[in-house]
Amino acid sequence: MVSVATWNVNSVRPRLGQLLDWLRADSPDIVLLQEIKCLNEVFPAMEVEELGYNIALHGQKTYNGVAILSKYPLDDIVRGLPGDETDVAARYIEAVVSLKGKAMRVASVYVPNGQSVDSDKFPYKLKFLERLAEHMSELVSYGEILVVGGDYNIAPEDMDVHNPGMWQGSVLTHDEVRKRFRRLRNLGLQDAFRLCQPQAREFSWWDYRAGAFSRDDGLRIDHLLISAPAADLLAGCSIHRDMRGVEKASDHTPVIVTLRD
DNA sequence: ATGGTTGAACCTCAA
């Protein structure tokens, strides 16, 4: 079995204790991190390497920043989402994991939030999702085991929202972003959690504000999208809700998929 | 109260 987890850590340095505790307890084979919010040179690499992980980083000061941690060697690392050299935001990293004679490609993606539908960040979000689909259509064509995990900032369906009425038309639920999420699925990528748990109403993000977690006002916006060859090996997918309840929690919880060997 | 909270870095922004 191989497990791949995604977690928007919301700054890796104040969350390092939690990250290490989780790595020790759950021992995921591959971890896709988003919003590490630091430059590569200040990422706490030594502490993570001590637990047996190789690291690929695409860091940035203050904002964004993505990483891949892997118990297996990482090769062919791609930093930055192809398709626009002017976009310097560190929101995408990809690597090939050499896994017991097989190869698996993984990517960690941090889709722009979009801020509000009438801001100029919203069209940037839509553009980013189009570039992502473009790149994914190439990766899917390789016919590999592929896991693309991250903070998509999209709740794909109303059942992924605790209170759909309240979130109607928001940047996380807007028809235009849902349409682009469906486009990723139409390329052959499947939502691992939804595939395993067709009816479950579980969430991966609760706003820090207004006591959202205590009211369970959450959305499922962190996803592990898997190619058909990966879906053939799918053993399970779960959301680590408990980690939202701890002291100094990230506003996101990890999502973990397990694939058979 | 155009709020509520968190993080990084600056005296505000992004989420």
Side-chain angles (χ1 to χ4, degrees):
Chain A
M1 296 282 237
V2 57
S3 53
V4 184
T6 181
W7 188 27
N8 180 323
V9 66
N10 187 19
S11 300
V12 70
R13 286 175 291 172
R15 218 79 60 204
L16 181 60
Q18 281 180 51
L19 175 64
L20 298 176
D21 286 348
W22 172 54
L23 295 178
R24 275 191 284 260
D26 279 22
S27 209
D29 294 301
I30 296 148
V31 178
L32 310 169
L33 294 175
Q34 301 86 38
E35 285 205 271
I36 61 172
K37 294 190 188 174
C38 66
L39 291 167
N40 292 355
E41 50 265 40
V42 294
F43 184 91
M46 221 175 56
E47 292 90 332
V48 171
E49 283 165 349
E50 265 173 21
L51 298 182
Y53 289 91
N54 301 290
I55 303 173
L57 296 171
H58 186 35
Q60 184 181 331
K61 192 176 176 179
T62 311
Y63 305 116
N64 313 316
V66 285
I68 301 172
L69 319 179
S70 169
K71 293 191 172 176
Y72 303 97
L74 294 169
D75 297 296
D76 298 338
I77 297 162
V78 175
R79 292 179 179 83
L81 182 63
D84 182 358
E85 307 77 39
T86 66
D87 182 7
V88 293
R91 294 178 174 274
Y92 182 88
I93 187 168
E94 170 191 320
V96 173
V97 180
S98 303
L99 183 73
K100 300 164 193 163
K102 278 191 285 203
M104 166 165 75
R105 195 178 297 264
V106 299
S108 177
V109 59
Y110 176 44
V111 174
N113 170 282
Q115 197 158 73
S116 69
V117 173
D118 55 8
S119 79
D120 54 5
K121 296 197 175 74
F122 191 66
Y124 169 57
K125 178 179 193 172
L126 299 179
K127 250 305 192 281
F128 185 95
L129 287 165
E130 281 153 26
R131 280 163 62 201
L132 185 62
E134 189 87 359
H135 187 54
M136 286 306 126
S137 94
E138 184 180 341
L139 295 194
V140 166
S141 78
Y142 301 162
E144 298 169 328
I145 300 167
L146 172 66
V147 179
V148 184
D151 175 1
Y152 286 78
N153 271 311
I154 301 172
E157 311 277 349
D158 275 352
M159 72 181 302
D160 300 307
V161 184
H162 178 255
N163 185 342
M166 214 170 67
W167 285 91
Q168 173 98 36
S170 76
V171 292
L172 304 180
T173 61
H174 197 279
D175 283 345
E176 288 302 315
V177 304
R178 285 182 167 172
K179 201 184 290 178
R180 283 157 180 81
F181 191 81
R182 286 197 294 275
R183 185 165 161 212
L184 294 172
R185 298 184 42 180
N186 291 339
L187 291 170
L189 294 172
Q190 303 202 66
D191 175 348
F193 180 82
R194 195 46 81 210
L195 199 53
C196 287
Q197 316 209 37
Q199 301 303 329
R201 297 203 54 202
E202 293 185 32
F203 313 120
S204 66
W205 173 80
W206 296 259
D207 201 317
Y208 284 124
R209 293 169 286 189
F213 186 58
S214 60
R215 294 182 292 110
D216 197 30
D217 178 19
L219 292 87
R220 194 174 67 90
I221 60 175
D222 299 270
H223 309 293
L224 289 154
L225 298 189
I226 60 176
S227 64
D232 287 341
L233 306 173
L234 183 60
C237 186
S238 57
I239 299 180
H240 223 298
R241 188 183 208 280
D242 289 356
M243 277 175 66
R244 185 62 179 81
V246 304
E247 195 77 8
K248 288 273 165 196
S250 167
D251 46 352
H252 296 253
T253 54
V255 186
I256 300 148
V257 66
T258 311
L259 305 176
R260 289 187 299 272
D261 290 316

